[in-house]
Amino acid sequence: MSQHDFDVAIIGGGPAGCALALLLARTTAQPGRIVLLQADGPAHYGYSPDQDPRVLAINHGSRVLLETIDGFPDQAALVQTVHVSQRGRLGRTIIRHSDFGVPQLGCVVRYAGLHARLTQSVIRSGVTILSGAAARVIRQDSTGVEIRQGEHLIQAALAIQADGYPETEVTRQYSQMALVTQAQSSLPRSGWAFERFTQEGPLAVLPHPGGPGQQSIVWCCAPGRAALLQKMSPEAFSESLTQMFGSRLGPLCVQASVAAFPLILNLRQVAVSGRTVAIGNAAQTLHPVAGQGLNLGLRDAATLAFTLREWLSSPAMHPSEALEQFQRLRQPDRQLTARMTDLMSRIFTTHWPVVEHAAGLALLGMDLIPALRAPLARHLLQGMRL
C-alpha cells in the first residue's frame, strides 16, 4: 500500500471539489500539497461524468467565480429573463436581468462540459490528482486525518468531503422524480427560462446550450406518472409535456432519451467535524427547483478557500479558527437556501385551493411590486456571499 502526505485532501472530483482545488491552488505556493481524490466509474445514478445527461443552472455570481478559475465551459445558454407561473391558477412573476444591471441572470451548462473544463484546469494547476476506488476517512484526531482510497493511504492535515450524500439530521423524501431530457421548441424565446409549478411538482423549461430553440427539460412529478411518461413514445411524451407546460413556446418536440432521478432533501446541520469539512453535495442535496444546488456548493468552496488562506501559508498552525469561521459564515446561506427550495417545491403541491391561490397571489404581488420580488431575485442571482 502506497502512503502519501498532504496539507489538504479533497474527496470528490465533481464541480464543487474541483472548484475548491483550483481556489486553494491560487492561495498557496505549493499546490502539489493539495490532493484531489477522484473515484473511478459511474458517479451519479450510474452515469459517468462525461455521459451525465443533466444540465446545470449557473447564476451570475457562480459564473463570475468559475471564470476567475478558468472553470467555465465553452458552451452555455444565457438566461436573461425568468418567468415563474402556476398551472391552473392565476398569478405569475417575471425577473429580468435589466432589473439588476447585469448582462444576464445566469446561464445553463451541460454537467459533462463543466466537469471536463474544471478537471482540465485542475490538471494544469499543479494540484495532485489520485484516482481509484471511492475514498473514505478512516481515522481522524487533533493532528490530522487518515484517508484510504484503494491501495492509497493518505495522511492530511484537513479532509474536505465534496461528493456523495451528506450524513444528515434533516431528510425529506419528496415522493417526486425529476425527468430530464431535451426538446426543440417551435416558437423559441431567446434567453427565457420558465419555472412552472404544477400540483405534482415544478416543471422547468430552460434554454439548452446545444443551440437555438433547444430547451432543457426538468419535469418533477409523482413516481407513478414518471414511470408512465418514461414508457411513452417520444411523440406521446412531447404531447404530454406541451399540455403540461402550455403554449408559450409552441409545441415542444422531445429529441433525447428521458433520464429519471429521485428527489430528496439532505442537509448536514454542522458542516465541520474535527478536521473534516463537508461542502457541496456532501453537505446538502436540494430539490432542483430554482437550480440552487451547484450554486450553493460553489459558495461553500469559495468561502472555505477564503477562510483557509492564512492557515495554508502556515499549515503547522491549528486550523480550528479557520474552520469555525467557515461554519459561521456558511450556516445562514445553507439554511436559507435549503428552506427556500423546500418551501417552493411543496407549497404548490398541497392540493389545498386556499394555499394554491395564496401562492398565486404572492407571485402576482411580486410581479406588480418590484420591492417584493427583489430579495428572491437577488438570492437567485448571487446567493448570500461574503
Side-chain angles (χ1 to χ4, degrees), residues 149-234:
Q149 184 193 44
E151 296 301 311
H152 299 298
L153 190 64
I154 296 104
Q155 305 283 344
L158 286 180
I160 316 300
Q161 294 181 316
D163 206 2
Y165 287 114
E167 300 170 0
T168 79
E169 293 129 19
V170 177
T171 299
R172 186 187 302 281
Q173 301 281 349
Y174 285 111
S175 298
Q176 293 178 9
M177 299 290 289
L179 299 180
V180 176
T181 189
Q182 181 178 340
Q184 176 71 40
S185 58
S186 56
L187 297 173
R189 303 181 74 172
S190 178
W192 282 67
F194 297 86
E195 190 87 66
R196 186 152 175 80
F197 290 93
T198 79
Q199 290 190 333
E200 290 188 9
L203 166 60
V205 179
L206 315 171
H208 192 281
Q214 293 290 305
Q215 307 293 329
S216 302
I217 308 298
V218 184
W219 186 353
C220 301
C221 56
R225 181 187 289 271
L228 291 174
L229 288 167
Q230 278 197 293
K231 294 177 182 178
M232 289 182 177
S233 66

Side-chain angles (χ1 to χ4, degrees), residues 130-308:
L130 294 178
S131 300
R136 60 187 179 90
V137 174
I138 58 175
R139 184 187 64 82
Q140 72 165 318
D141 56 30
S142 60
T143 63
V145 183
E146 189 170 89
I147 303 162
R148 176 166 292 170
Q149 184 193 44
E151 296 301 311
H152 299 298
L153 190 64
I154 296 104
Q155 305 283 344
L158 286 180
I160 316 300
Q161 294 181 316
D163 206 2
Y165 287 114
E167 300 170 0
T168 79
E169 293 129 19
V170 177
T171 299
R172 186 187 302 281
Q173 301 281 349
Y174 285 111
S175 298
Q176 293 178 9
M177 299 290 289
L179 299 180
V180 176
T181 189
Q182 181 178 340
Q184 176 71 40
S185 58
S186 56
L187 297 173
R189 303 181 74 172
S190 178
W192 282 67
F194 297 86
E195 190 87 66
R196 186 152 175 80
F197 290 93
T198 79
Q199 290 190 333
E200 290 188 9
L203 166 60
V205 179
L206 315 171
H208 192 281
Q214 293 290 305
Q215 307 293 329
S216 302
I217 308 298
V218 184
W219 186 353
C220 301
C221 56
R225 181 187 289 271
L228 291 174
L229 288 167
Q230 278 197 293
K231 294 177 182 178
M232 289 182 177
S233 66
E235 295 76 15
F237 187 100
S238 299
E239 184 177 347
S240 295
L241 174 62
T242 302
Q243 182 180 14
M244 183 63 70
F245 176 70
S247 60
R248 290 181 178 87
L249 296 174
L252 295 168
C253 180
V254 173
Q255 297 181 320
S257 59
V258 179
F261 301 89
L263 300 181
I264 189 170
L265 167 67
N266 282 329
L267 178 65
R268 190 191 294 245
Q269 294 283 38
V270 178
V272 177
S273 176
R275 285 179 176 251
T276 301
V277 187
I279 68 169
N281 282 347
Q284 63 270 322
T285 55
L286 309 180
H287 194 285
V289 63
Q292 290 300 292
L294 175 61
N295 296 295
L296 185 62
L298 291 176
R299 296 199 294 274
D300 288 345
T303 303
L304 185 57
F306 171 79
T307 60
L308 290 179

Side-chain angles (χ1 to χ4, degrees), residues 52-70:
D52 196 308
R54 293 175 300 165
V55 296
L56 300 171
I58 306 292
N59 66 25
H60 179 67
S62 294
R63 175 168 186 162
V64 172
L65 172 65
L66 290 169
E67 288 177 338
T68 63
I69 58 176
D70 194 24

